[in-house]
Amino acid sequence: MSLMRCIPGKCTWTDACCSGFSKVIGAAPLKDALLKEDKKEKWDSQRDEKLDSSFCLENRPVNIVNDSEVNGFRPLSEPITIEVNECNLAPFSLPQECFSYVPEPGMVVCSFENGESERMISCNTELSKDELSMLQKLQEEAALQKRAFVPSLSVAAVRYLGDTGDVQEALQRMNETQAWRLSYFSSPISDSSVLDDLSKGFIYFCGRDAALRPALVMRASRVPFGIPAEQFGRLFVFCMEYFLRYMVLPGRVENIVVIVDLKDISYSQMPTVSALMELKEVLTKQDAGRVFCFYVCNMPFIVRALTSVVQAAMTEKQRQKMRFVDVSELVQDFALNQLEEDLGGTRRLETTFFPFPLPPGPFAAGSSEVMEAVPNLHQLITAETARGRLRDVRRSNRANRRLELSEAARAELKGLRALEVDEVERQIKPTSQSSLENQQVNSQCMFLCPFCRVGIHVAR
């Protein structure tokens, strides 16, 4: 079965890849739709020139989208973060398995042996009574302070509450992150502007783990000598925004894993302190819990000798999130076809890194069979669907879990038979209330990295 082609041109966070389908709306209606969209964008632009783009610091005016609420907060207009040409979107950015995937409770809220826990999936899903209570207090405090947030940040409110355990601190962190995002994305990052760096293959998405989390590979030996810190950070941010727009599915897949490969790294290739601090900066500006874990492999002898000492000083949570592994251990969490040969898989070493070399399934750990799959399913997901939403107590459990898909998109998915989205939504069971109530404050988690000598915040 072939998917309907989307509108050619650039795909952005706000536009999404498919604003419409040619088979559904036809050529003439499509033209009218585009003209209406152009007029809307022109009107928005004129309005935005009159309004300050800040977000209520020191009582400055707020660029409010409308009087309604989004996730219980007054909304600001969402900035365009990245621009990707249609030809550069990987066909299997969003595999069909994501739509029918039901995460285990331990994948929704990750528990650690020391009693701490961290919410990994927070959109389109159940929340505990404590979480709902704190969320309501945060929404009330934001309204009292006349704060407004872009939807991509307000939907992460529960993550900030879990990370801080305090309403005021969570609100402050949200304000700080929003200030950074509005400044950083004063203009979008285009794929053409980072294409040269992406082609070097020192950071790229290569596949997904058994829980369908995308794997971001970082190859230290390929990092160009003397690369500016801002340039490295910009590339990481582009990858994260690509994930948030084209690879995530709310309530099912909301995290990535990072594979840090230190093979053949020399002392001269060690990242500079400025580069690492820039990476730390952009990491801490990501929503809490977006990175499920780091796998550090192919460690040089001097680094390997220090890992036991470092691990002994780590908490259980830190050890679970920062894993020093042999490449042979990765197959415990990945299908063989999702990893390159030097990482324990069966794929030949990639030489082209963008569009991201993302294969179809299978994804079951240790699996190696080849499967036929339908490409370009990311075309069915709008930016709003990709962002997801927080639980609304006024809606039913099923309504809260429901993916906001167009009728055309639902027809396409149901045509695959295995993707009966409505049936999957009925089958998803909420995380047990007791496991949610037992969550403890997700404290800041710092790791002293032995090969870079800089503290890295790994709870992101």
Side-chain angles (χ1 to χ4, degrees):
M1 184 190 71
S2 61
L3 286 175
M4 297 169 283
R5 291 185 58 79
C6 60
I7 298 172
K10 289 186 175 180
C11 308
T12 67
W13 177 277
T14 56
D15 298 331
C17 181
C18 282
S19 298
F21 297 99
S22 58
K23 288 185 180 179
V24 177
I25 60 179
L30 173 58
K31 182 178 179 181
D32 293 340
L34 290 175
L35 288 174
K36 289 180 181 179
E37 185 65 22
D38 288 341
K39 290 180 180 179
K40 180 180 182 299
E41 289 181 358
K42 184 177 180 181
W43 185 89
D44 287 343
S45 177
Q46 293 172 344
R47 178 201 60 192
D48 291 349
E49 289 177 359
K50 299 177 182 179
L51 294 173
D52 195 317
S53 62
S54 58
F55 57 98
C56 197
L57 281 180
E58 300 177 358
N59 296 319
R60 288 179 288 183
V62 181
N63 182 18
I64 299 294
V65 176
N66 50 51
D67 294 330
S68 63
E69 292 183 344
V70 176
N71 299 308
F73 297 87
R74 299 175 72 194
L76 291 181
S77 56
E78 190 77 50
I80 300 174
T81 60
I82 60 173
E83 290 181 339
V84 185
N85 283 304
E86 183 183 352
C87 62
N88 287 331
L89 291 170
F92 295 104
S93 292
L94 190 64
Q96 61 195 63
E97 288 86 349
C98 288
F99 292 90
S100 55
Y101 176 66
V102 179
E104 296 292 332
M107 300 299 179
V108 177
V109 177
C110 186
S111 300
F112 306 97
E113 290 184 2
N114 63 355
E116 293 185 27
S117 62
E118 182 175 14
R119 175 169 283 282
M120 307 308 293
I121 294 179
S122 61
C123 300
N124 299 49
T125 192
E126 309 301 319
L127 299 175
S128 70
K129 291 181 180 178
D130 286 346
E131 286 175 317
L132 287 172
S133 176
M134 291 188 69
L135 177 60
Q136 182 178 356
K137 292 177 181 178
L138 179 63
Q139 292 164 338
E140 292 172 350
E141 184 62 27
L144 184 64
Q145 296 185 24
K146 298 182 179 180
R147 301 288 181 179
F149 294 99
V150 296
S152 62
L153 192 61
S154 65
V155 78
V158 171
R159 294 180 179 275
Y160 283 88
L161 286 168
D163 198 36
T164 63
D166 180 80
V167 169
Q168 293 294 341
E169 187 176 351
L171 186 59
Q172 179 61 28
R173 289 265 298 279
M174 290 174 68
N175 284 323
E176 292 172 355
T177 300
Q178 180 159 267
W180 176 84
R181 288 185 67 83
L182 293 179
S183 173
Y184 199 92
F185 296 112
S186 57
S187 61
I189 304 175
S190 66
D191 55 352
S192 59
S193 69
V194 294
L195 191 59
D196 184 58
D197 285 334
L198 285 171
S199 67
K200 294 179 173 63
F202 60 87
I203 179 170
Y204 59 98
F205 286 107
C206 76
R208 291 179 182 252
D209 69 5
L212 302 182
R213 293 177 287 246
L216 185 66
V217 177
M218 293 184 175
R219 304 272 193 176
S221 64
R222 298 177 183 173
V223 177
F225 178 75
I227 183 173
E230 297 78 9
Q231 191 173 335
F232 187 89
R234 183 179 174 85
L235 195 59
F236 176 83
V237 170
F238 176 84
C239 292
M240 287 300 298
E241 293 300 316
Y242 184 99
F243 156 71
L244 291 171
R245 174 59 189 89
Y246 300 109
M247 305 178 77
V248 70
L249 203 61
R252 293 160 171 79
V253 181
E254 299 183 14
N255 327 102
I256 68 170
V257 295
V258 179
I259 300 175
V260 182
D261 175 30
L262 301 179
K263 185 178 181 180
D264 298 329
I265 188 173
S266 64
Y267 184 79
S268 64
Q269 291 173 308
M270 290 287 187
T272 63
V273 171
S274 61
L276 289 166
M277 293 307 292
E278 175 68 16
L279 181 58
K280 175 180 179 291
E281 173 70 9
V282 297
L283 273 171
T284 55
K285 290 300 185 290
Q286 306 304 312
D287 303 334
R290 283 300 186 188
V291 177
F292 186 80
C293 73
F294 292 80
Y295 297 96
V296 182
C297 58
N298 289 320
M299 292 174 287
F301 175 77
I302 185 62
V303 175
R304 192 162 54 248
L306 292 173
T307 55
S308 59
V309 177
V310 173
Q311 285 182 309
M314 287 174 145
T315 66
E316 173 59 29
K317 177 180 176 180
Q318 289 171 325
R319 280 192 290 270
Q320 189 163 327
K321 292 187 73 72
M322 180 64 73
R323 306 177 188 180
F324 299 96
V325 299
D326 186 271
V327 291
S328 61
E329 297 177 66
L330 290 175
V331 299
Q332 298 175 14
D333 297 329
F334 290 85
L336 298 180
N337 67 309
Q338 299 296 312
L339 296 170
E340 295 166 83
E341 290 176 339
D342 64 337
L343 295 176
T346 56
R347 288 167 55 186
R348 290 181 296 179
L349 289 179
E350 298 291 345
T351 57
T352 302
F353 305 99
F354 194 75
F356 293 122
L358 297 165
F363 299 99
S367 177
S368 60
E369 62 181 291
V370 178
M371 294 178 58
E372 292 187 4
V374 178
N376 301 318
L377 290 178
H378 59 269
Q379 295 179 356
L380 304 181
I381 304 300
T382 66
E384 183 179 0
T385 302
R387 280 195 295 268
R389 61 180 177 274
L390 289 179
R391 176 170 170 74
D392 186 342
V393 295
R394 296 167 297 183
R395 306 178 69 179
S396 67
N397 289 335
R398 185 184 172 195
N400 274 290
R401 292 192 295 267
R402 184 180 177 85
L403 289 173
E404 297 298 338
L405 299 173
S406 68
E407 290 305 315
R410 286 183 177 272
E412 287 285 337
L413 294 174
K414 289 182 179 180
L416 300 178
R417 293 188 178 181
L419 302 182
E420 295 285 352
V421 179
D422 290 331
E423 183 63 28
V424 170
E425 287 166 350
R426 283 193 290 270
Q427 293 175 354
I428 293 179
K429 296 180 180 179
T431 306
S432 65
Q433 192 69 20
S434 59
S435 65
L436 289 173
E437 301 297 346
N438 289 333
Q439 289 186 70
Q440 296 187 6
V441 174
N442 177 18
S443 60
Q444 297 278 343
C445 162
M446 298 296 289
F447 166 58
L448 184 60
C449 180
F451 49 85
C452 65
R453 308 172 302 284
V454 172
I456 296 295
H457 194 298
V458 300
R460 299 275 160 198

